[in-house]
Amino acid sequence: MSLYKNLFKQTAIYGLATVLPRMFSFLLVPLYTDLLPKEEYGKVSIIFAYMIFFNVILAYGMETAFFRFYNNETNKKAVIETTTVSIFWSTLILLLPAVLLRNKLAAFSGIDVQYILFAIWILALDALVIVPFSKLRAHQKPMRYAAIKIGNVIVNLTLSVFFLLVLPKIAAANPDGIMSIIYFDNFQIGYIFVANIIASLLTFLVLSPDYFQLNWHFDFPLWKRMMRYGLPILVAGIAFAINEQFDKILLGKLLPPNIADAQVGVYSACYKLGLFMVLFRTAYTLGIEPFFFSHASNENAPKTYAMITKYFVIFGSFILLSVIVFADVLKQLMIRDESYWEAMKVVPLIILANFFLGIYTNLSVWYKLIDKTHIGAYISIIGALITLILNYILIPTMSYYGSAIATIAAYGSMMLISYFMGNKQYPIPYEIKKIAGYLFLSIGFSAISFYGFRENYGIGISLLLLFMYFIYHNEKDTLNKILKRKNN
């Protein structure tokens, strides 16, 4: 049980480092949706979708390669320095042409050129802290990792509130004051990105001592091996970005121009209600990836992975049902503008899709451990193709509901493909009957609550309690062992 306790502790620490910043950024959703019309919020969402896509390209799989080689290589300093030098120069090499071609990028994407320039600088600054953050995880310094991550979001949130709420009032009250110099009418989107740039710059400055401590040694043979390992991760990351964000870009391209931005806006706002499943999945991934690699040589590793996956499904199923039961309460807190609520029907699909993605993360451990990351790329490409094809087919007639269906179909397919392939390549003794039971029962109860008795919290809470009893009934032996150990 000590392995599971260590995993829980590590996941909890990194979960805190992930959950708190995400919860702070959560506060930006009501801020943006209160102040921005649906059309403007749609434009912001499309820009961020492009940025997430290019974040993957700028990392090109080196973060995952870093953890794999850091755990396997005896010369860990060479891994750190080679990865840092690679990311540093690739970022600078890509930064210059992006700045020079900003007008063409703006014409292609339909985004204002000044926002393109803001996005380029944010992307570059975020790329330059990839290795310093990875080092903190590898050196097991979660508190520093958490402090910097949380600080970034606090700065972003504080500046966003200042620029969007406080500055206009100051400028209006004192038009000749010094603050009026930095105030511009109808520049709300610009202020959002200015806040992001300042937060990213401060984060880079905090982590910049890492660059001064390096000898800047570059091990080319090591780099080639890392690239061979990391490039399939890049392909998988691009495919993941397509699955995660391209629906917003395609909505903007495939819908009539007069409604496209508004449809992206309402879809993106309601999509945010899936945050709790995203938080759980992300925190788990941050804790589990180093754990998987460090315990790969353990004789009982397959049994450990099977147990971990079962409990991931248990916790995830509970979160799925809880969020869907209280979805209409959450919308009152997050999205106060009722004009955004028309997209609430996609919420159960988005939460379930993110749950499928989390299960896929568990199931995908096999190809990482046997150094066949190209298989993960193939699976992700299949998911991306499903996303693109279904979006092209469904968006013209179903708008964002078609995008939600495409997302759940893509992640569900990836989950099943990984399971069946993993059974052949790296057998893990999953408790399939129990896992399927928890999954399908939570989906069934969620459907009953949301589509049959929506906002009837008596029935919703009853279903939640019944599901909790089902978990206890099936897992009481393990729970009793844990309780006895605590008492002793």
Side-chain angles (χ1 to χ4, degrees), residues 44 47 145 186 236 244 249 270 287 395 405 438 467 471:
V44 172
I47 297 170
Y145 178 95
N186 301 317
E244 188 76 5
I249 296 171
C270 290
I395 283 176
I405 292 172
Y438 293 128
F467 183 69
I471 293 171

Side-chain angles (χ1 to χ4, degrees), residues 311-451:
Y311 283 103
F312 176 86
V313 172
I314 289 173
F315 283 112
S317 297
F318 177 75
I319 292 170
L320 171 73
L321 181 56
S322 299
V323 174
I324 290 175
V325 166
F326 295 105
D328 288 293
V329 175
L330 294 172
K331 80 179 182 187
Q332 300 278 354
L333 299 173
M334 282 189 63
I335 313 166
R336 293 186 290 261
D337 186 340
E338 295 184 14
S339 64
Y340 285 88
W341 292 358
E342 67 175 81
M344 278 297 296
K345 59 185 177 181
V346 305
V347 170
L349 298 182
I350 296 303
I351 297 172
L352 182 57
N354 276 288
F355 189 22
F356 283 168
L357 180 58
I359 297 173
Y360 167 73
T361 300
N362 276 272
L363 299 177
S364 67
V365 63
W366 63 270
Y367 64 73
K368 293 180 181 179
L369 294 176
I370 63 176
D371 289 341
K372 291 187 177 180
T373 52
H374 62 278
I375 295 176
Y378 297 149
I379 295 172
S380 296
I381 289 170
I382 292 172
L385 289 173
I386 292 171
T387 296
L388 293 173
I389 292 169
L390 288 182
N391 269 292
Y392 271 106
I393 293 172
L394 299 178
I395 283 176
T397 55
M398 302 178 69
S399 186
Y400 50 74
Y401 198 72
S403 294
I405 292 172
T407 302
I408 199 170
Y411 291 147
S413 299
M414 291 166 61
M415 175 183 69
L416 293 173
I417 292 169
S418 184
Y419 169 71
F420 287 114
M421 289 187 70
N423 256 353
K424 296 178 181 179
Q425 300 280 341
Y426 189 94
I428 295 176
Y430 296 115
E431 296 182 59
I432 291 301
K433 289 185 179 179
K434 280 191 174 183
I435 289 173
Y438 293 128
L439 179 61
F440 288 119
L441 188 63
S442 66
I443 292 173
F445 281 0
S446 297
I448 291 170
S449 175
F450 192 85
Y451 297 108

Side-chain angles (χ1 to χ4, degrees), residues 144-176:
R144 178 170 167 79
Y145 178 95
I148 297 172
K149 286 283 186 180
I150 293 169
N152 175 285
V153 179
I154 290 177
V155 170
N156 188 10
L157 175 63
T158 303
L159 289 175
S160 294
V161 171
F162 173 75
F163 285 134
L164 296 176
L165 288 179
V166 179
L167 183 60
K169 294 178 181 178
I170 294 175
N174 189 8
D176 297 322

Side-chain angles (χ1 to χ4, degrees), residues 283-297:
Y284 172 84
T285 302
L286 284 170
I288 204 65
E289 192 171 69
F291 178 88
F292 277 155
F293 287 133
S294 62
H295 289 81
S297 59

